[in-house]
Amino acid sequence: MKKFNIRKVLDGLKEQASSSASSGQSGTQENNLMQETLQSENFQLCKTVRHGFPYQPSSMAHDPVQKILAIGTQSGALRLFGRPGVECYCQHESGAAVISLQFLINEGALVSALADDSVHLWNLRQKRPAILHSLKFNRERITFVHLPFQSKWLYIGTEKGNIHIVNVESFTLSGYVIMWNKAIELSSKAHPGPVVHISDNPMDEGKLIIGYESGIVVLWDLKSKKADYRYTYDEAIHSVAWHHEGKQFICSHSDGTLTIWNIKGQGKPFQTITPHGKQPKDGKKPEPCKPILKVEYKTTRLGDPFMILSGGLSYDTVGRRPCLTVMHGKSTAVLEMDYPIVDFLTLCETPYPNDFQEPYAVVVLLEKDLVVIDLAQNGYPIFENPYPLTIHESPVTCCEYYADCPVDLIPALYSVGSRQKRQGYSKKEWPISGGNWGLGTQSYPEIIITGHADGTVKFWDASAIMLQVLYKLKTAKVFEKSRNNKEEKQNTEIVDEDPFAIQIMAWCPESRMLCVAGVSANLIIYRFSKQEITTEVVQLLEVRLQYEVNDMESPPEGGGGGDRDLPTPGAASPSPQTTGPPTHPSSSSNSSDGVRDNVPCLKVRSTPLKQSPGYQVDLVVQLVWVSGEPPQQITSLALNSSYGLIVFGNSNGLAVVDYLQKTVLLNLGTVELYGSNDPYQRQPRSPRKTRQPSGGLCDINEGSASEDRCKSPTSAKMSRKLSLPTELKPDLDYRDNSFSRSRSSSVTSIDKEAREAITSFHFCETFARKGDSIITPCLYVGTSLGTVLAVALNLPPAGEQRLLQPVIVLPSGTLGRLKGSILRMAFLDNTGTFLPPAFELWYEPNAVGADSEERDKARKRRPVSVSPSTSQELQESQYAVVCSEKQAKVIALPSQNCIFKHSITETSFVLRADVVQMNIGNCVACFCANGHIMTLSLPGLRPLLDVNYLPLTDMRIARTFCFTNLGQAMYLTSPTEIQRITYSQETCENLQEMLGELFTPVETPEAPNRGFFKGLFGGGATSLDREELFGEMQAGKASRGLAQHIPGPQGLEGMKGAASGVVADLARARIALDERGQKLGELDERTAAMLASADSFGKHAHDMMLKCKDKKWYQF
């Protein structure tokens, strides 16, 4: 008996209104023919990994034994870094800024203090760190946190000047409190200010130094609960650091001075230094400088100590970049940084504060970079940073993501990119080398391409949840550098800043052809070559593309506008310019009435261009001003290496370019694509009418923090707002209204400004017209009004004929209409298998000799085509999948019957849609503006996944969100960070294995040897029984209302990010066993040590008994 399916009945009912009864029958029939392999259980959404520089960093910590680095941000994020490839991202739920981080050194734990006065303990012994305990202070604000090495008692300084002590094992407050009024002198009536520093004496754990903002420093005796000494200076204190012998400490002040104090000389500082102050000859005080925000004092066994400080520059150094100063003996090195310094840490050989520190590197956290300086080499070179922290070097304007690329692609890009590396780095290994890599099961190559505001394109290796830059392409080299001539700039350029910014990219991984569209209405086509060449003249095509309706009737099919130079299809006109781009002086670029015409926005360079191995310019296409109107920016772009064609469109129309013959094949307004079948009555429009600027990239950060704003194309300072593809316009209400207007049942009248823009393209080999019996190369075009149109392509034979004979391009009718802008089109064969566009395999374009013959042979071969044979009976042998902002349709070809239709969203709209290949089938993946991520089956369009993942708070996400094959996706979560996610159940289950481990068992180094005399006379470090002093027996209970303890999800239950399922449960069990085994091992070691100790004690006792048994009492 046939199984009843209510969904098919509903789909059939929906279709009756828009298609014939035969299409409904076809839909049922096709659904029976094609078995859909993907089910909802194949999908699960989870975050995988975050790459890039932590956005708005606020604090930093380093574990010198585990060799891992932690960075906290102003949004409550935690980023942990180990060896290259070992990274981890966690988030505090409150989102408050992280003000301090403290590692429990070599314990696999981290304490974070937040601006909302909460303290958290993180367990780092699991791949996804989790919070074990939290403590929320209610009455006092936290200003400083200090955890001594190998101590379980955490000192917390507050804004009121008090110090509280927390047991990090139980996260409970001790009753021991150091009150500010007891710490300072009774005679001092003024409040000393917030606590800015706490640390214990390296040689005496019972002595604590407390720095107050006002300039008072107190040496507190923990046992006697009183101040031993007080040190007063009339300038505010920013930081304090100890000499390792515990006899001196150094303070940094707000006037740019450093004061060195002897702990027993409390009257005046032992020494006062102004590192950047001019010393007056008459012995007066040096001129005040900017505050020294932090100082570190590190000693070496054989040489002079290091004093490292940030800030302190003279006030007369206006415009000077932020500096880190390294003072070593008599030499002072001032190291300039590119961005303001947030924090710095000195990496030392020992974790023990009472030993010679032996510093070897300085980690400097800047606002937008992380720099590590080698202290052991002359000139203090920096280490080459292996982390992918340069994503934001120039603001990212667009992204593309490719999974399952050709295997030779990453090595090819790496080989040309390795020549671009800078020289002069330290020769030593990167010092942050902790953790272990995960056991990645994904073996397919993945590549991310980012386009940037300065015209740069970067290729990244994203395989196995890692990220590494492969190759960097600078597209701005093709153009002349703009001079500071304002009149000349206003004459042609359509953006004030970043005229080279990348807007859209099209890439063919198999042929390695690349095409980029810039915001200045320009296209650059690149070929990949392993050989260096010098291009004498960059070839240029100029295109006049305008939207003009002169009559109420539509022009005939293929007809041109009034003053547009429309080339005959297939003709080689306009010819490529072989003498370089023409110059346009004001006299020739303006017509008699002063209107600019035929002027491109940017000037292509006229001098020879040296092109290194990698991507090399093949052709530049520029849209020009038309009758005083600047060209509209390009909204859609597609490339096909098999056909040798590029197509691009904007709000005026589209143009097809043959990049092999360097000719424009087709140049049509959108209206002309319809021919005589235009369903819309369009009003005539004067080409001189002032345009209303459309919403654009400058609106990307509307409503978000000002720090989120990138430069153009994210800057509001423009002469003209940048237009985006319709799906990115942020004016959401207007868009929904326009949908209802343009989707009314009657024929709609389009107003002058609501142009029909070209929003998507797809090259394919399919049926060009309804009822065709053979498949031919075609171009499908999607518009902002939801129309899908077909353009037939008649290509000459491959080889020499392709370069000599013209390509015939002919619009051939409408495929169908959907609600909302068309976002994506794809094709399936009659078994439901995905049909990718035809492509040509890569060959060396600059080959000579024998290589040249191989290249010609390769070019004469038929391009790789994945379409069925060209002689087929008239039957439904292909299916077009079309996705718009509102709905998806599957259309059978060549009958053009809609067999499946699905309304994706009614209240929102789709921002990004892709037809993706999974391991066992294909699906449509969608990301909506309301934050939902959805997948639909093919060809049935059944909903398989619908997760409310991420509400659209920032247009940056909309602009950069990408789906790709095998369940991978990514977006730019901040101006500096890429977030990768997966919607594949298989990847979620394997994620735990793929992630790296932060904590690895490492022996703690031995404590420094006290030496015989120090042990004999007590000159070494003295320890303190903090348990006795701070425990409840001695100190009592803390005030109940002071802080609230919040237990975290205990231990392994806190792995929120771990994927569910059997594999994840096994992973949890294995981690639990590992930890239990480790604890049992430690217990076994302790038991063995105790047995050995008892054995030794028994032996000594026996020896003593034998020695003393015959002695009389008076002989003792």
Side-chain angles (χ1 to χ4, degrees):
M1 183 179 169
K2 191 175 174 181
K3 192 177 178 182
F4 178 72
N5 191 332
I6 188 69
R7 181 162 195 81
K8 294 175 199 169
V9 177
L10 292 172
D11 281 344
L13 288 170
K14 285 180 186 175
E15 283 307 311
Q16 280 177 357
S18 59
S19 60
S20 64
S22 62
S23 72
Q25 293 164 5
S26 171
T28 312
Q29 180 187 353
E30 297 303 331
N31 199 32
N32 290 335
L33 286 175
M34 278 180 282
Q35 186 68 35
E36 291 182 358
T37 51
L38 285 172
Q39 303 299 326
S40 57
E41 53 264 27
N42 298 124
F43 294 91
Q44 183 184 339
L45 193 71
C46 68
K47 292 181 180 179
T48 53
V49 68
R50 183 173 291 202
H51 301 296
F53 183 77
Y55 184 55
Q56 295 181 329
S58 55
S59 58
M60 179 171 60
H62 178 252
D63 186 326
V65 180
Q66 286 288 319
K67 295 190 184 302
I68 53 175
L69 186 76
I71 295 175
T73 73
Q74 291 180 26
S75 59
L78 262 184
R79 292 285 300 279
L80 294 135
F81 297 91
R83 66 178 58 197
V86 177
E87 290 182 42
C88 185
Y89 160 75
C90 335
Q91 177 70 46
H92 293 91
E93 282 185 17
S94 68
V98 181
I99 58 172
S100 182
L101 292 170
Q102 294 279 313
F103 274 103
L104 276 70
I105 293 173
N106 206 26
E107 294 289 334
L110 176 74
V111 172
S112 59
L114 273 57
D116 65 353
D117 309 310
S118 61
V119 187
H120 307 271
L121 177 66
W122 290 85
N123 177 16
L124 307 183
R125 291 184 178 231
Q126 54 198 50
K127 291 190 174 185
R128 286 277 173 103
I131 291 176
L132 294 174
H133 298 282
S134 298
L135 199 64
K136 180 78 168 69
F137 280 75
N138 299 321
R139 299 179 192 163
E140 299 197 46
R141 308 222 61 186
I142 297 170
T143 56
F144 195 85
V145 174
H146 171 64
L147 180 67
F149 179 45
Q150 294 180 324
S151 166
K152 69 173 185 179
W153 297 95
L154 178 75
Y155 300 108
I156 296 177
T158 68
E159 198 171 49
K160 288 184 178 178
N162 304 325
I163 293 174
H164 301 279
I165 298 164
V166 174
N167 183 327
V168 290
E169 287 180 354
S170 60
F171 243 56
T172 52
L173 272 172
S174 164
Y176 192 113
V177 182
I178 303 171
M179 305 299 289
W180 68 270
N181 53 354
K182 290 185 178 177
I184 65 167
E185 288 181 284
L186 297 175
S187 58
S188 175
K189 294 177 182 178
H191 189 275
V195 174
V196 294
H197 182 83
I198 309 166
S199 62
D200 45 356
N201 187 319
M203 286 294 179
D204 188 352
E205 294 173 355
K207 309 288 189 193
L208 198 67
I209 205 158
I210 307 163
Y212 293 96
E213 192 181 62
S214 64
I216 297 172
V217 178
V218 175
L219 186 67
W220 181 264
D221 188 316
L222 289 166
K223 285 182 181 175
S224 63
K225 300 183 182 179
K226 64 177 185 179
D228 278 357
Y229 298 102
R230 297 179 182 90
Y231 317 88
T232 308
Y233 194 71
D234 55 4
E235 292 292 340
I237 289 175
H238 285 278
S239 72
V240 182
W242 279 102
H243 186 282
H244 85 273
E245 290 179 348
K247 295 176 182 176
Q248 286 185 338
F249 62 89
I250 185 169
C251 303
S252 71
H253 299 278
S254 57
D255 63 346
T257 58
L258 297 171
T259 53
I260 300 174
W261 302 78
N262 288 329
I263 57 167
K264 293 184 179 177
Q266 56 180 331
K268 284 186 177 181
F270 166 71
Q271 190 180 359
T272 303
I273 308 166
T274 310
H276 296 285
K278 293 176 182 175
Q279 299 292 337
K281 293 178 182 176
D282 54 2
K284 292 181 182 176
K285 261 191 167 183
E287 292 178 10
C289 296
K290 294 174 185 176
I292 297 175
L293 301 176
K294 185 174 181 179
V295 63
E296 291 205 344
Y297 194 18
K298 303 296 179 184
T299 53
T300 58
R301 204 173 295 275
L302 299 175
D304 294 310
F306 282 87
M307 267 192 265
I308 302 162
L309 54 113
S310 63
L313 291 178
S314 172
Y315 279 105
D316 60 7
T317 53
V318 180
R320 189 168 180 180
R321 291 192 295 180
C323 293
L324 185 83
T325 306
V326 180
M327 300 169 70
H328 183 223
K330 293 182 179 178
S331 71
T332 301
V334 180
L335 309 175
E336 289 194 341
M337 302 291 156
D338 290 334
Y339 306 102
I341 297 171
V342 176
D343 196 3
F344 73 88
L345 293 170
T346 310
L347 307 189
C348 301
E349 296 288 354
T350 177
Y352 293 94
N354 58 353
D355 194 10
F356 287 98
Q357 301 297 288
E358 303 294 347
Y360 60 90
V362 183
V363 182
V364 189
L365 179 63
L366 309 176
E367 277 187 5
K368 292 184 180 180
D369 202 1
L370 181 73
V371 176
V372 182
I373 298 159
D374 186 352
L375 290 178
Q377 276 185 255
N378 288 335
Y380 304 131
I382 64 169
F383 288 87
E384 185 176 8
N385 198 323
Y387 305 135
L389 302 183
T390 58
I391 292 166
H392 63 286
E393 207 169 21
S394 172
V396 176
T397 52
C398 58
C399 296
E400 293 297 336
Y401 189 7
Y402 300 85
D404 208 9
C405 301
V407 291
D408 59 342
L409 199 50
I410 288 174
L413 288 165
Y414 181 79
S415 66
V416 294
S418 58
R419 306 179 194 189
Q420 299 176 328
K421 288 190 176 178
R422 285 173 47 195
Q423 303 297 317
Y425 289 113
S426 169
K427 294 172 184 175
K428 293 185 179 176
E429 291 286 317
W430 180 251
I432 301 159
S433 55
N436 282 326
W437 291 307
L439 300 169
T441 53
Q442 287 176 205
S443 56
Y444 51 85
E446 298 173 76
I447 290 177
I448 291 172
I449 308 178
T450 53
H452 299 262
D454 63 354
T456 302
V457 177
K458 289 182 182 176
F459 292 77
W460 304 82
D461 177 5
S463 309
I465 68 168
M466 292 173 69
L467 195 71
Q468 181 184 9
V469 71
L470 290 170
Y471 174 72
K472 187 173 168 183
L473 172 65
K474 295 181 179 177
T475 64
K477 286 183 177 178
V478 177
F479 303 102
E480 298 279 3
K481 288 183 179 176
S482 55
R483 302 188 184 96
N484 294 328
N485 186 344
K486 287 187 180 178
E487 290 180 12
E488 188 179 321
K489 285 182 87 171
Q490 288 171 0
N491 216 15
T492 58
E493 289 186 11
I494 55 175
V495 291
D496 284 343
E497 297 176 14
D498 300 323
F500 308 116
I502 307 297
Q503 191 155 10
I504 316 174
M505 298 177 291
W507 188 51
C508 175
E510 289 80 12
S511 67
R512 305 181 192 173
M513 291 294 298
L514 172 70
C515 184
V516 295
V519 292
S520 298
N522 59 280
L523 280 173
I524 312 172
I525 300 156
Y526 288 92
R527 287 184 185 276
F528 185 85
S529 173
K530 294 181 178 179
Q531 299 178 14
E532 185 177 296
I533 59 165
T534 300
T535 305
E536 294 298 325
V537 176
V538 175
Q539 292 193 300
L540 169 68
L541 282 177
E542 290 182 351
V543 180
R544 289 168 66 88
L545 194 60
Q546 69 185 98
Y547 184 99
E548 184 174 7
V549 183
N550 289 326
D551 304 307
M552 290 301 286
E553 292 142 15
S554 298
E557 190 173 299
D563 60 345
R564 180 170 54 248
D565 178 20
L566 179 67
T568 310
S573 172
S575 61
Q577 302 189 11
T578 54
T579 56
T583 54
H584 295 283
S586 57
S587 57
S588 61
S589 62
N590 295 345
S591 57
S592 56
D593 58 352
V595 176
R596 289 188 286 278
D597 196 39
N598 276 337
V599 190
C601 301
L602 298 172
K603 188 177 177 184
V604 175
R605 65 183 290 163
S606 53
T607 54
L609 177 64
K610 184 180 177 183
Q611 304 204 68
S612 302
Y615 276 100
Q616 298 171 350
V617 182
D618 190 52
L619 178 67
V620 177
V621 183
Q622 287 186 296
L623 295 181
V624 295
W625 289 65
V626 178
S627 306
E629 281 209 5
Q632 291 289 306
Q633 287 169 344
I634 294 161
T635 56
S636 52
L637 174 67
L639 154 77
N640 189 285
S641 59
S642 173
Y643 308 155
L645 301 180
I646 291 282
V647 60
F648 61 93
N650 61 13
S651 57
N652 288 337
L654 65 87
V656 181
V657 173
D658 181 346
Y659 65 78
L660 296 176
Q661 295 187 25
K662 311 289 191 286
T663 58
V664 178
L665 301 174
L666 187 71
N667 180 357
L668 286 180
T670 316
V671 183
E672 296 162 332
L673 278 171
Y674 290 95
S676 57
N677 302 317
D678 188 359
Y680 305 112
Q681 297 173 356
R682 303 172 197 265
Q683 298 178 13
R685 182 179 175 282
S686 164
R688 301 277 179 88
K689 182 171 173 64
T690 307
R691 290 170 307 97
Q692 295 294 324
S694 56
L697 285 166
C698 54
D699 299 316
I700 276 165
N701 295 294
E702 291 271 329
S704 62
S706 60
E707 289 82 10
D708 283 351
R709 296 179 183 272
C710 312
K711 289 188 177 178
S712 168
T714 54
S715 168
K717 300 177 183 175
M718 302 189 186
S719 56
R720 193 174 71 81
K721 287 187 178 182
L722 307 179
S723 62
L724 264 178
T726 316
E727 68 268 23
L728 298 194
K729 289 185 184 174
D731 192 358
L732 311 186
D733 298 332
Y734 164 75
R735 297 171 48 141
D736 277 341
N737 294 337
S738 72
F739 295 148
S740 57
R741 284 204 310 273
S742 61
R743 296 293 161 265
S744 60
S745 57
S746 61
V747 176
T748 311
S749 174
I750 308 298
D751 65 7
K752 296 188 190 81
E753 298 305 332
R755 300 180 177 188
E756 185 174 12
I758 305 295
T759 56
S760 66
F761 294 112
H762 188 78
F763 283 104
C764 52
E765 291 193 9
T766 186
F767 302 95
R769 293 176 180 81
K770 186 173 182 176
D772 275 4
S773 58
I774 59 169
I775 62 168
T776 55
C778 291
L779 167 67
Y780 273 69
V781 181
T783 75
S784 58
L785 295 183
T787 308
V788 180
L789 302 126
V791 177
L793 307 171
N794 190 348
L795 297 161
E800 292 293 324
Q801 296 299 313
R802 174 64 184 85
L803 300 175
L804 299 173
Q805 294 183 23
V807 178
I808 309 298
V809 183
L810 194 64
S812 52
T814 304
L815 176 68
R817 291 187 184 87
L818 281 78
K819 188 179 178 184
S821 295
I822 303 297
L823 300 181
R824 191 70 58 200
M825 295 172 281
F827 286 79
L828 309 175
D829 69 8
N830 55 6
T831 64
T833 306
F834 179 70
L835 292 173
F839 57 83
E840 183 179 62
L841 292 172
W842 177 78
Y843 60 88
E844 175 54 66
N846 302 318
V848 290
D851 293 336
S852 179
E853 290 174 17
E854 288 294 321
R855 179 193 69 184
D856 293 339
K857 282 181 188 175
R859 297 207 55 186
K860 283 175 187 172
R861 287 199 299 268
R862 238 355 253 172
V864 179
S865 173
V866 286
S867 298
S869 63
T870 53
S871 56
Q872 293 186 9
E873 295 296 318
L874 182 57
Q875 58 182 0
E876 307 297 26
S877 56
Q878 282 191 0
Y879 302 95
V881 182
V882 186
C883 189
S884 76
E885 291 175 319
K886 293 283 186 178
Q887 60 183 185
K889 281 186 181 181
V890 174
I891 300 164
L893 299 175
S895 69
Q896 296 191 0
N897 292 327
C898 176
I899 59 167
F900 295 107
K901 182 168 72 171
H902 177 74
S903 177
I904 299 170
T905 175
E906 291 294 335
T907 56
S908 184
F909 58 93
V910 179
L911 288 161
R912 175 83 184 206
D914 287 288
V915 176
V916 294
Q917 295 170 272
M918 304 292 283
N919 278 330
I920 57 169
N922 309 309
C923 66
V924 180
C926 307
F927 173 54
C928 289
N930 60 7
H932 283 251
I933 290 177
M934 290 175 274
T935 60
L936 307 172
S937 70
L938 284 176
L941 299 179
R942 291 180 298 112
L944 299 174
L945 175 78
D946 187 350
V947 177
N948 187 2
Y949 170 70
L950 180 80
L952 185 65
T953 54
D954 197 325
M955 285 303 292
R956 180 193 308 102
I957 298 166
R959 192 179 75 244
T960 58
F961 201 104
C962 304
F963 292 102
T964 188
N965 294 334
L966 301 168
Q968 305 295 333
M970 63 151 281
Y971 59 93
L972 223 71
T973 186
S974 74
T976 65
E977 293 166 293
I978 285 174
Q979 178 67 55
R980 288 165 69 182
I981 61 175
T982 183
Y983 48 96
S984 159
Q985 170 72 22
E986 185 185 355
T987 307
C988 285
E989 287 181 348
N990 293 331
L991 184 61
Q992 199 67 19
E993 290 182 21
M994 294 162 62
L995 293 171
E997 291 189 55
L998 285 165
F999 179 79
T1000 52
V1002 180
E1003 283 287 328
T1004 303
E1006 285 188 15
N1009 191 358
R1010 294 173 65 186
F1012 175 74
F1013 289 106
K1014 283 185 178 178
L1016 192 63
F1017 299 111
T1022 55
S1023 59
L1024 172 75
D1025 188 351
R1026 294 188 178 95
E1027 185 70 44
E1028 183 187 339
L1029 197 58
F1030 302 144
E1032 197 174 306
M1033 292 285 290
Q1034 183 78 18
K1037 287 188 177 181
S1039 170
R1040 185 172 291 180
L1042 181 63
Q1044 177 191 358
H1045 177 248
I1046 306 162
Q1050 291 298 313
L1052 296 155
E1053 296 299 316
M1055 295 196 294
K1056 293 180 185 176
S1060 61
V1062 178
V1063 175
D1065 292 337
L1066 286 170
R1068 290 193 192 102
R1070 196 182 68 211
I1071 292 169
L1073 284 169
D1074 286 349
E1075 292 210 349
R1076 186 165 174 263
Q1078 190 174 337
K1079 285 175 182 173
L1080 285 169
E1082 287 174 4
L1083 186 64
D1084 194 35
E1085 285 173 13
R1086 285 179 195 164
T1087 308
M1090 286 172 69
L1091 279 169
S1093 177
D1095 196 34
S1096 174
F1097 179 75
K1099 190 179 176 184
H1100 279 95
H1102 184 68
D1103 290 347
M1104 185 68 78
M1105 184 267 293
L1106 290 173
K1107 187 188 276 188
C1108 303
K1109 72 174 182 177
D1110 295 326
K1111 289 188 180 182
K1112 304 292 182 189
W1113 63 268
Y1114 52 82
Q1115 290 177 307
F1116 285 99

